[in-house]
Each structure stands twice: as structure tokens, then as C-alpha cells.
Amino acid sequence: IIMASATAKAKAGADPLVILGKEGCTVQSLTVSDQHATLLLSHPAVIDGGGEDDGDEGGPAPASKTASSLLKLTLVPFHRALLGSNPVISPEDIERGQLPERNLLEHDPNASAEIVSFLRGYDFRLKSESGAEYSYHAARPNRRLCALVGDGGPAALEDGDDGQNESSELKAKENESSAGAAASNFGAFDVELISPASPHQISRAMPSLGHVLVRETPEMYDAIVKPYIQSVVDSGSLSWIKNVIEVKKEKERLLVNHADFVINVDTKWRSHPPPLTTPREEWRGHPSTADLYCLGIVKRDGIACLRDLREGHVTMLKEMEEEGLRAIETVYGVERDQVRAFVHYQPQFYHFHVHFTRLENEVGCCVERGHLLSDVVQNLEGDPEYYRKRIITYKLRRGSPLQNLIENHSKE
């Protein structure tokens, strides 16, 4: 995921290479594993598809023209040595007086430039867009990276040399036969760009300090959690949802467009055939259905989370479950007894939504977070005020904004 937080807003579909190519762009490693890496980029703000904010239009110039971005990408295991070589040190780490154990490598002061150079060796092809901030790219090694690999190291091509001079052209031709091997060695990966990103989105991507189990009473919800949720809603960080439910974005992912909700292919379903280019008849029975992940989002405002549900929402919830299961069976050939529909509390974003996943896919369905939609409906039918009155226990990341608020309140 690339997430840019800036005083100057960026258009959806911004090119990751524009960010990486900005003078002074630096990189720090947040988390890294054999499958994924999350990097923190600091760079000049990028707006309108690549230009820098000059403050001439739309109001006065912002006080700061810097941005922070988060880049999450899939990788093959040996990328880990490079992408994890410049670990970030958070304020919490400094306060504790010890470095976190994040499975990263020892800090390398030259790593930032090397990571930027490595990433600029890829071409980023736009796959789809979602809402105002989100776009999805496929990254593949370009000729510049193949030349680097073919000659055995970064010295083969100076940073900023795009391969257009005579020497680089010759080098590219000499290495043409090894381009396929270079692409295989370095591998392709998927990239999600969120620009700009809210503080909440950035906080979620920061290195984890562990988790705590919260026992949220109705009184705690009213005093702490509800005002926090409202502040997130009022911040405007959920503006992308309007584009999705109005089908201005993610048209290629749309499965159901109901008067009260939409159901789309979730972007977390990474193995799904490219929606823009793959005919829908080829989706049925596709091997990727083992990873099935779809998302239903209500169209009405005012339902931020599970706590807001009342008896009057039961009909809508039943229809969403039925329409979702029917669409999944029709489009993908996956029978309804193979699909779970559930709700998160706390959710990833505060506009009510329902997850549909295949039973084999256990992402997001941990017991301290997931609530089966059928159980939610039954609880509301038994007590219209059920979720207003009950104690809800859930897991929170330690150091997250909401966890900090709860912890500070408990000390008062």
C-alpha cells in the first residue's frame, strides 16, 4: 500500500514512480516478511497526477508541502534483505529505550537511496481505481532494472539514466536475452496507492506494538468510542466510499447494486483475475475462488458500526446477505454453504459494511473481531436495542489512536 498524507491532495491513480522520483524522497522500513514489505516514504507533496502544489488555485498555499506515504508490496524472499534494511524508530521505541523486534535488518544509512533506486527499476501499470484516494497497480521490472541485473549491480546504470543514451541502448541490447531471467529473479508485485491517507490509515500501517483486549461497556462507548468514531467521519477520510456506492468507481468490481447497498469484489482478494480485462464468464470456477472475498457497503449514512444497528435495519441486513450469497453463487459458482457473511467490530472504516469470504479463507474472521451476520440479525430480532446495551469485547492495536484514548480515560 502506498499512502500519502499531505496538506496538498493527490488525485486517484497517481503514479508511484512520480512519488519515488521526487528529489529528496527517502525510505524507511516499517515491517518486512518473506511475502510483504511496508515502507515509509517521505517526499514533496504530489498533486494532480504528478505536479507539486503551488498554492495558486483552490485557496492559499499550505503551510507544509511535504507528504508521508506508505508502500506495501508483495515480494520474493530475497527482496527482504534490501527492503528491510532501514528500520523506522517510532516515538514509542524511543520512550521505551529499546529497539523493537520487527524481524528487520540492522540499519544501513545508505539503504534509503538503494531502496528508491530499486523501486524505480519497475514500471507501474494501473489496474483499477477505487474511490477518491485508492488505485491499484501491477509492478514489473523495466529495462533499466534488467540492465542493472545483467551487469551485476547498481553501478551498471547511474540513477537518473533512463537507458536512452547510446551506451545504455547498447547495454540494453546486450542484455535483451537475459531480460526474462532478470524479471523472474526480481519478480513482479502488486501495489495499492492511497493518496492522500488519513492519520488513521497511516497509524494502522505502522509497526505493531502488540495488541490489547478491550471490554467496551455502553458507557465507555458513549464517552470515548462514539466521539472518536464521529471525529473520523467528520474528517472527510471516508469520502472515497461515496464514489463506490454511487458506482462512480469500482464499476468493474460491482456484483450487486441494490437500492440500499452495493456488493463488490474486495480489493483484498489479490488473486482475483483482473476485473478490467478478464471476461466475467471466466470468473466462474476460477482457481482464485478459494480466496473469495467480497464486500457489501450500505448506501445510507448514519450507520458507522455494529453499535448503530437497530431492529429497523434487519430487513436490509437480510437482503444484503441473500443478494450477496446469490451473486457469489451465480458469478463464481461457489455455493452458499461455503460462504460466511460477517461484520467487524472495531471495523476497518466507519461506514457500515459486511464481509463475504469463503470458509477456506480465514482472513479477518478472528473470534475477537468477527460477528456473523446471521447472529447479528437474530440478536436484533430478539432485542431491538441489543447492540446499544451489550458489552462488546474486541482486540485493538497497542498505541493506536483509539487504544490511547481508552487507556488515558481509564487513568483518569
Side-chain angles (χ1 to χ4, degrees):
I1 303 172
I2 296 179
M3 294 195 272
S5 174
T7 49
K9 303 263 184 192
K11 283 186 176 180
D15 189 344
L17 284 177
V18 173
I19 294 175
L20 293 166
K22 287 295 178 182
E23 183 178 357
C25 178
T26 60
V27 181
Q28 291 178 290
S29 311
L30 295 185
T31 58
V32 63
S33 70
D34 285 349
Q35 291 80 36
H36 301 92
T38 303
L39 309 175
L40 175 64
L41 280 64
S42 300
H43 56 87
V46 180
I47 65 166
D48 296 337
E52 294 188 17
D53 182 19
D54 57 13
D56 290 339
E57 296 181 3
S64 171
K65 296 183 180 180
T66 61
S68 296
S69 299
L70 291 168
L71 172 65
K72 183 176 182 181
L73 48 105
T74 57
L75 64 153
V76 293
F78 56 76
H79 287 158
R80 176 176 177 172
L82 173 63
L83 298 177
S85 57
N86 193 20
V88 68
I89 306 301
S90 70
E92 290 81 5
D93 299 329
I94 297 174
E95 183 177 348
R96 290 202 317 269
Q98 64 183 52
L99 299 182
E101 295 182 0
R102 296 190 187 119
N103 215 14
L104 300 177
L105 303 178
E106 184 177 354
H107 171 72
D108 178 357
N110 299 317
S112 176
E114 293 175 0
I115 296 172
V116 170
S117 179
F118 169 78
L119 294 173
R120 290 181 63 191
Y122 283 80
D123 291 325
F124 293 80
R125 177 179 60 83
L126 180 67
K127 293 169 60 179
S128 63
E129 297 179 68
S130 170
E133 300 95 352
Y134 294 73
S135 60
Y136 307 89
H137 306 258
R140 296 191 62 83
N142 60 25
R143 187 178 61 186
R144 178 178 180 275
L145 185 57
C146 292
L148 287 173
V149 178
D151 200 50
L157 193 62
E158 292 296 326
D159 192 37
D161 183 349
D162 60 6
Q164 297 303 309
N165 60 49
E166 183 177 354
S167 174
S168 297
E169 289 285 356
L170 179 60
K171 178 69 70 177
K173 291 179 180 179
E174 291 173 350
N175 287 290
E176 186 173 357
S177 62
S178 64
S184 176
N185 286 338
F186 277 80
F189 49 79
D190 292 326
V191 174
E192 180 180 348
L193 174 66
I194 306 177
S195 180
S198 68
H200 176 68
Q201 290 166 325
I202 293 177
S203 172
R204 284 176 54 86
M206 291 297 288
S208 175
L209 300 173
H211 296 81
V212 296
L213 206 60
V214 174
R215 188 173 182 271
E216 182 187 286
T217 64
E219 295 75 21
M220 182 190 300
Y221 173 77
D222 289 336
I224 309 168
V225 181
K226 186 175 182 179
Y228 168 76
I229 292 175
Q230 191 60 50
S231 71
V232 174
V233 173
D234 293 342
S235 72
S237 63
L238 303 179
S239 59
W240 62 272
I241 296 175
K242 184 177 181 180
N243 287 329
V244 174
I245 61 180
E246 293 180 356
V247 198
K248 295 179 180 178
K249 296 291 184 180
E250 291 203 26
K251 294 179 183 178
E252 70 280 4
R253 296 178 176 271
L254 182 66
L255 299 177
V256 176
N257 187 5
H258 186 277
D260 293 325
F261 53 83
V262 296
I263 300 175
N264 285 14
V265 179
D266 197 293
T267 56
K268 288 189 284 293
W269 187 354
R270 303 295 188 186
S271 61
H272 191 285
L276 279 173
T277 58
T278 307
R280 291 218 169 187
E281 55 267 24
E282 296 182 18
W283 295 10
R284 185 176 179 86
H286 193 275
S288 69
T289 56
D291 305 320
L292 186 144
Y293 205 131
C294 299
L295 187 70
I297 306 177
V298 302
K299 290 185 176 181
R300 69 181 74 175
D301 293 330
I303 314 176
C305 66
L306 192 65
R307 286 282 193 187
D308 293 322
L309 294 178
R310 300 292 184 267
E311 186 181 30
H313 300 127
V314 166
T315 299
M316 177 188 67
L317 296 177
K318 287 182 174 180
E319 290 180 351
M320 180 184 287
E321 183 170 31
E322 175 60 29
E323 292 288 338
L325 295 175
R326 180 187 297 124
I328 289 169
E329 187 168 12
T330 300
V331 175
Y332 297 105
V334 179
E335 297 182 1
R336 58 181 58 212
D337 65 357
Q338 297 300 302
V339 179
R340 68 170 70 84
F342 62 98
V343 178
H344 281 151
Y345 192 78
Q346 293 282 325
Q348 182 174 348
F349 58 90
Y350 292 109
H351 185 104
F352 187 78
H353 54 282
V354 174
H355 304 263
F356 295 83
T357 64
R358 195 160 183 168
L359 295 181
E360 289 87 346
N361 182 1
E362 297 184 354
V363 173
C365 60
C366 53
V367 66
E368 65 272 20
R369 192 181 182 200
H371 301 255
L372 287 172
L373 187 57
S374 57
D375 289 344
V376 171
V377 168
Q378 184 177 358
N379 291 335
L380 290 172
E381 288 178 330
D383 182 352
E385 299 282 300
Y386 183 86
Y387 289 103
R388 185 187 68 81
K389 298 187 297 186
R390 72 159 288 183
I391 295 173
I392 304 179
T393 301
Y394 54 86
K395 181 174 70 174
L396 276 183
R397 283 166 53 102
R398 189 183 299 276
S400 65
L402 179 56
Q403 193 273 324
N404 286 336
L405 287 173
I406 293 173
E407 182 175 350
N408 291 337
H409 186 269
S410 66
K411 294 177 180 178
E412 294 178 357

